[in-house]
Amino acid sequence: MIKIAIYGKGGIGKSTTTSNLAAALSEKYKVMQIGCDPKADSTKNLLNNKEINTVLDMLKEKKNEVTLEDIVHEGYNGVLCVEAGGPTPGIGCAGLGIIAAFQKLEELNAFEVYKPDIVLYDVLGDVVCGGFAMPIRDGYAENVFIVTSGEMMALFAASNISKAVSNFKNRGYAKVSGIILNERKVKNEDELVEQFAREEGHNVIQKIRRSEVVQKSEELGQTVIESSPDTDIADDYRELAKKIIEICEKEKEEACV
């Protein structure tokens, strides 16, 4: 099982990238996507905009009676969708919500039951506190990919994420395996992101071109893989999926040497 965390600043297209990546990967693998944002909207494009029960909502409602069927929902092409959820806005800690959700999934043996080939954690990267850092520090994810554009605040958040991951590198936890450029048409965007990647010691592994097809697909509650599978942007996501698998497998082999 390959376990991957996708981080990025809120609003940068991280969840769009993750859900399209999940859809592309599902053409060859069994995939589970876990949304780690209190907004609980990570998997909506895999579910035709259908709202699903979050792990935290079910914990509040059913307490110890929660089952996997309550919190794991099948989306496009068999992708298994989970939303951690979060507290009422202004009340409670979203990071603690993620911790509670992960603990419940572990308690219910979700990975052993569903046996996914690939698990994608879609994680908000504006604040890398204990809860939001959980996928990179508690053995959940092995590889981290950071989504950014050439915008200043997106690069600032990406730098913070990179440093947070680096803080745990000597403990056998996850590592940053690459940067994904989600194009926003910023002046000199390619050069800015390439420079950032070099300074942080990473590589830009894929550029996702700006496309109206993405917005049109999201209006339908779908990924471009589902709604427009023969487009150039769909091929961008398929190429991203291919590269991510190659990188993860190569790094796993190197770790075993």
Side-chain angles (χ1 to χ4, degrees):
M1 182 169 62
I2 298 174
K3 298 175 287 184
I4 299 165
I6 309 292
Y7 275 82
K9 181 185 182 300
I12 198 59
K14 167 183 54 61
S15 294
T16 298
T17 300
T18 306
S19 57
N20 276 283
L21 173 61
L25 288 167
S26 76
E27 295 178 340
K28 293 184 178 180
Y29 305 96
K30 187 173 184 178
V31 182
M32 175 180 282
Q33 179 169 325
I34 302 176
C36 304
D37 190 317
K39 298 194 303 300
D41 60 355
S42 171
T43 60
K44 66 183 181 67
N45 292 328
L46 294 164
L47 294 158
N48 295 111
N49 279 332
K50 176 186 173 184
E51 289 188 13
I52 60 175
N53 299 322
T54 70
V55 180
L56 281 192
D57 285 344
M58 287 293 95
L59 285 173
K60 292 174 187 175
E61 180 180 329
K62 302 181 72 171
K63 297 182 171 57
N64 291 329
E65 302 301 317
V66 175
T67 67
L68 285 174
E69 290 73 19
D70 291 324
I71 57 179
V72 181
H73 306 266
E74 187 171 314
Y76 169 74
N77 207 28
V79 176
L80 301 167
C81 301
V82 180
E83 294 285 356
T88 302
I91 302 173
C93 172
L96 291 177
I98 293 171
I99 292 172
F102 279 27
Q103 289 173 341
K104 178 52 67 173
L105 288 168
E106 191 169 8
E107 177 188 320
L108 295 173
N109 298 312
F111 300 145
E112 290 78 8
V113 171
Y114 291 105
K115 296 180 172 59
D117 300 308
I118 300 164
V119 179
L120 298 174
Y121 297 95
D122 175 16
V123 195
L124 184 67
D126 295 74
V127 181
V128 193
C129 69
F132 290 109
M134 193 168 181
I136 61 177
R137 67 179 175 84
D138 281 350
Y140 288 98
E142 298 160 342
N143 304 86
V144 173
F145 293 89
I146 301 174
V147 180
T148 187
S149 68
E151 297 163 303
M152 183 181 299
M153 294 309 297
L155 290 170
F156 181 76
S159 178
N160 282 342
I161 295 162
S162 177
K163 289 178 174 60
V165 177
S166 179
N167 287 337
F168 298 107
K169 67 180 180 181
N170 294 324
R171 305 184 193 181
Y173 292 168
K175 60 175 291 187
V176 175
S177 298
I179 306 297
I180 302 165
L181 166 55
N182 194 36
E183 188 180 58
R184 289 296 184 92
K185 297 292 186 181
V186 176
K187 184 178 180 181
N188 299 323
E189 188 164 34
D190 289 20
E191 291 82 356
L192 287 169
V193 176
E194 288 284 357
Q195 180 182 346
F196 157 76
R198 286 195 302 273
E199 291 174 351
E200 295 287 340
H202 310 311
N203 294 314
V204 178
I205 65 164
Q206 182 68 23
K207 175 180 176 179
I208 306 297
R209 289 167 284 188
R210 189 78 167 167
S211 172
E212 291 183 358
V213 176
V214 176
Q215 285 71 40
K216 290 178 180 177
S217 298
E218 291 190 332
E219 289 172 4
L220 300 171
Q222 298 177 353
T223 63
V224 298
I225 301 297
E226 179 179 5
S227 71
S228 306
D230 299 322
T231 57
D232 290 342
I233 187 67
D235 287 341
D236 281 354
Y237 288 117
R238 289 193 183 95
E239 184 65 19
L240 173 63
K242 178 184 175 183
K243 289 178 179 177
I244 281 180
I245 294 301
E246 289 174 350
I247 290 168
C248 291
E249 289 181 342
K250 180 181 178 182
E251 290 183 354
K252 184 171 287 189
E253 288 176 4
E254 292 173 347
C256 292
V257 174

